Amino acid sequence: MSNLFFILFNSLFFSLCLLIFIFILVITDVMVWLATVFGWVCGIPSVVMGITLLAAGTSVPDLLSSIIVAMQGKGDMAVSSSIGSNIFDILIGLPLPWIIKSFILMGEGKEYTGNQVRASNLLWNILVLVGMLLAVIVTIACNNWRMTKGLGVMMFILYAIFLTFALLMAYWNDIVGN
């Protein structure tokens, strides 16, 4: 009897995990589509939508988990979770769809030449990312590696600086008239 329960539980668990995964895929696709439409309607470039609305929307689970562990006094876990999530997004979340698409096209006998990255200021964005990372490290070090209110305020200021720079880059041609 216990063996039957174990088999049913495992198959139910697998089925629920698969269903949740499919649900997340559908909801994510809808969220990206809605953000794209919202950007088109409001005349907001897709780069701006990506660094603001989509970034915030996909970071809510990270935010909630960081709040929970920080309230438990586990600041190192909160920071590690955020860093690990971003590294995962960059090193797995970006290349995995490209790899899957290349295998699908290979199976169809076609060659995958890659997706065009339309972010014309990609190098500047990467430099800003590295600069922000260094600024975060320096800010945390100046707070003696402790999560304080001052550190929280500095993080918000750094995010405001990042958004300002990213928006300036996105709208640069409109600002200078080129």
Side-chain angles (χ1 to χ4, degrees), residues 5 13 17 29 35 41 67 69 75 78-79 85 89 91 105 107 116 119 124 129 131 134 139 167 169:
F5 176 76
F13 180 77
C17 285
D29 192 48
V41 169
I67 289 172
V69 295
V79 173
S85 174
D89 288 346
L91 299 179
L105 291 175
Q116 180 68 35
W124 286 107
L129 175 66
L134 292 173
T139 303
L167 291 172
M169 286 183 0

Side-chain angles (χ1 to χ4, degrees), residues 18-32:
L18 185 62
L19 187 62
I20 290 168
F21 182 74
I22 292 169
F23 177 76
I24 290 171
L25 284 175
V26 170
I27 292 299
T28 302
D29 192 48
V30 169
M31 181 181 72
V32 170

